[in-house]
């Protein structure tokens, strides 16, 4: 796929699984209103940080392998 930060996911409040593997995300925007999201996959993108996830109360699995993440203690 060729999705990037400009992709819109608003209005998907009942979504349970969001798989954005293999795109061009270098950063992620908070996913507000996605209270039912249990799995979020962002593998094989260009992410450098994941600090802006937002509130995802039902999230059980977050996949971020094969990105450019750095430890920012």
């Amino acid at each position: 796929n060729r999705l990037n930060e400009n992709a819109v996911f608003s209005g998907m409040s009942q979504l349970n699984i969001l798989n954005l593997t293999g795109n061009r995300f270098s950063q992620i925007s908070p996913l507000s209103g996605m209270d039912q999201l249990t799995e979020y996959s962002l593998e094989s993108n260009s992410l450098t940080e994941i600090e802006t996830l937002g509130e995802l109360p039902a999230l059980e699995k977050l996949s971020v392998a094969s990105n450019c993440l750095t430890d920012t203690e």
Side-chain angles (χ1 to χ4, degrees), residues 21-73:
T21 297
N23 283 288
R24 297 181 177 179
F25 290 98
S26 59
Q27 61 185 14
I28 52 176
S29 300
L31 296 173
S32 60
M34 298 186 85
D35 296 340
Q36 303 299 315
L37 192 67
T38 58
E39 294 184 28
Y40 191 14
S41 182
L42 289 157
E43 296 179 9
S44 300
N45 279 281
S46 300
L47 297 176
T48 56
E49 66 180 6
I50 56 171
E51 296 176 7
T52 57
L53 278 176
E55 289 189 33
L56 301 172
L59 191 66
E60 297 174 1
K61 181 179 179 182
L62 175 64
S63 301
V64 294
S66 299
N67 278 285
C68 302
L69 297 173
T70 57
D71 186 10
T72 60
E73 290 183 40

